[in-house]
Amino acid sequence: VNILLITADQQRGDCFGFEGRRVHTPHLDRLAARGVRYTNAFTTAPVCSASRSAIMTGMYQTTIGAHNHRTWQWNKRPLPEGVRTLTDGLRDAGYFTANLKTLDGKEIGTGKLDLNFVNEGPIYHEHSGDWSALPKDRPFFAVVNAMESEYDIYDRQTWKHARAEWIGEREHEKIATPANVTPPPYYPDHPVVREEWARYLNSVSGMDKRFGVVLEKLRAEGREDDTVIIFFGDNGRLEPRGIHWCYDSGLRVPLIIRDPRVPRSARGRTAEAMALNVDLAATMLDWAGIAPPPAYEGSSLAPWVRGEAPAGWRKHFLCEHVDLPPTLTWEGVRGDRFVYARYFDQQPVFE
C-alpha cells in the first residue's frame, strides 16, 4: 500500500469546515468523512523541528537529543546508535520515499525537513521533489508539507514592512473577515486581533485548496484506493498561546487517517484515543509490514483505524518545550482533561 503523509504547519486541532469554523476545507472534510478523525491528537513538543524529529524517529525529541528548536547546524548531532529514521525502515521494505514540492508545474509543498539531528545518509530518495517521480511499479511513501498557516518571514526582510504577510495571503479567498470571526476569549477584542485571526483562518482555507490539488491528482491517476492518506499537524497554531506553549492551542493537532482497505461501515468515524506524533512512525511501519523497533516510544494507530480498541492505551503523555534562551522552557504531563506544566528555568520554579 502507498502512504501519503500530508503535514500541516501550525494548525490547531479543530480548524475544519465541518467544525463550524470560518474556513472552507472541502477536501479535508471529504477525507474525514471517508476516514477516521482523532479528536485527541497531540504533539509531544509544540514546535516544528522538535515535533518533526519525533515524527521521523518514533521517539521523544528529548530521548534522541533533538529537543532544542532548530539547533544551529554546527551543533547538531547524529541520532543515538541504533536509531534509524522512518524512511530508512520504509526503504528497507522496498518503498520509494519522496518529499514533494511540485505537481504539474504547481507548488504543492515546501519540501520542509526541519530535523534537529544530522542523519547518516539521505532522508528521501534523490530527485523526488516532483509528483512525476513517484513510481508505478513499487509502493511509495510521500510527504507534502503545507505552505500555508505560516508567515512569510524566512527572507529575513520582515523589518522592512509594516507587517508580515501570511504565505499566499494575496491569493486566499476571504471567507473569514474581521467582522465575522470570533477570536479566542483570551485575546483582546481589538481590530488587529480580528484582522490576524481572519487571515489565519483564510490561510487554513488556502492550505486545503492546495492539498486538494494533490488529492485530486491521486484520484485522477487511480491511486486513491491503493493509498493510505494521513493528515497531521506538527504543532498548534502560529499565534500567542499556541506554538511553544503548554496549552491545548499549542499541543492539540489535527489527525485524519483514511485507509481504503477499511470497510465502508468503519469509515467516517471519530476516535477518542490519545494519539501522538510519536505514533506515526510505528503506524506507517505497521502498514509496510515491518515490526517497529523496540526503542520506539510510540504505538501503531492501525488497530484504531480498523475499528479496534487496543487494551491499555495511554491516558496521559509527557509534553515539553525544552529550548535555548530566551524561549520559555517547560515540561509537563497532559492527561484526559488537564495539563500540569512546570517552567523550571526560573527561580522559583513556576508551576
Side-chain angles (χ1 to χ4, degrees):
V1 63
N2 302 315
I3 303 171
L4 176 63
L5 174 61
I6 301 175
T7 307
D9 215 352
Q10 281 104 217
Q11 182 175 343
R12 55 185 284 174
D14 61 351
C15 209
F16 299 102
F18 59 77
E19 296 273 6
R21 310 294 174 187
R22 294 285 184 178
V23 294
H24 185 56
T25 57
H27 299 98
L28 294 177
D29 294 354
R30 182 177 186 270
L31 193 66
R34 304 178 71 202
V36 180
R37 179 170 61 92
Y38 289 76
T39 56
N40 286 301
F42 299 92
T43 176
T44 55
V47 67
C48 304
S49 63
S51 179
R52 289 168 181 263
S53 298
I55 291 171
M56 188 57 74
T57 59
M59 302 177 71
Y60 268 78
Q61 55 285 342
T62 310
T63 303
I64 58 174
H67 47 280
N68 288 325
H69 179 44
R70 289 183 182 155
T71 307
W72 291 110
Q73 191 66 37
W74 53 266
N75 199 32
K76 287 185 179 180
R77 300 176 181 177
L79 290 168
E81 185 176 355
V83 177
R84 305 176 74 219
T85 65
L86 163 66
T87 49
D88 286 333
L90 290 173
R91 278 197 297 270
D92 288 349
Y95 275 73
F96 181 83
T97 59
N99 191 354
L100 299 174
K101 298 174 66 176
T102 54
L103 186 163
D104 293 340
K106 300 175 182 177
E107 286 187 293
I108 56 170
T110 61
K112 183 175 184 177
L113 277 177
D114 215 358
L115 302 175
N116 277 345
F117 56 81
V118 177
N119 197 55
E120 297 177 357
I123 297 290
Y124 299 98
H125 279 91
E126 292 184 341
H127 312 298
S128 63
D130 188 77
W131 181 271
S132 62
L134 299 181
K136 302 289 200 308
D137 58 350
R138 60 191 288 199
F140 66 76
F141 166 67
V143 179
V144 181
N145 289 285
M147 301 181 68
E148 272 83 9
S149 298
E150 175 72 281
Y151 283 114
D152 191 2
I153 58 175
Y154 292 104
D155 61 357
R156 304 290 191 256
Q157 301 299 308
T158 307
W159 61 275
K160 295 181 179 180
H161 310 295
R163 69 170 182 84
E165 292 188 2
W166 293 85
I167 292 176
E169 178 182 316
R170 300 184 188 188
E171 290 76 42
H172 294 158
E173 187 179 353
K174 304 302 185 288
I175 297 164
T177 67
N180 68 21
V181 297
T182 304
Y186 42 78
Y187 292 156
D189 191 358
H190 187 277
V192 172
V193 172
R194 287 180 166 274
E195 288 170 2
E196 284 306 300
W197 193 248
R199 291 182 182 121
Y200 171 72
L201 295 178
N202 290 332
S203 185
V204 172
S205 299
M207 176 198 67
D208 180 271
K209 184 176 182 179
R210 197 182 301 269
F211 283 160
V213 173
V214 178
L215 297 175
E216 289 170 2
K217 183 70 169 181
L218 191 71
R219 196 173 307 126
E221 290 188 348
R223 290 174 156 185
E224 187 178 43
D225 290 335
D226 299 319
T227 305
V228 176
I229 303 171
I230 307 171
F231 173 70
F232 187 76
D234 59 354
N235 52 256
R237 66 173 179 265
L238 185 64
E239 297 287 351
R241 196 184 166 104
I243 185 173
H244 302 294
W245 289 90
C246 63
Y247 307 107
D248 269 16
S249 43
L251 291 172
R252 190 185 292 271
V253 294
L255 173 59
I256 301 171
I257 300 177
R258 178 191 177 270
D259 186 338
R261 300 166 298 181
V262 171
R264 292 184 180 275
S265 59
R267 301 178 188 178
R269 296 179 293 111
T270 58
E272 296 183 358
M274 189 174 280
L276 303 179
N277 55 343
V278 292
D279 294 331
L280 295 185
T283 304
M284 289 184 271
L285 289 182
D286 191 350
W287 286 329
I290 304 172
Y296 267 26
E297 294 170 304
S299 300
S300 175
L301 297 171
W304 291 100
V305 177
R306 294 192 297 265
E308 303 168 12
W313 196 260
R314 71 173 69 88
K315 296 294 184 182
H316 58 269
F317 68 95
L318 297 174
C319 48
E320 60 189 358
H321 186 262
V322 184
D323 206 347
L324 302 173
T327 305
L328 290 174
T329 296
W330 59 269
E331 61 185 4
V333 178
R334 203 318 183 155
D336 285 339
R337 295 180 59 196
F338 302 107
V339 177
Y340 165 74
R342 59 191 297 269
Y343 291 77
F344 55 84
D345 265 358
Q346 54 198 66
Q347 295 297 327
V349 171
F350 179 73
E351 298 180 288

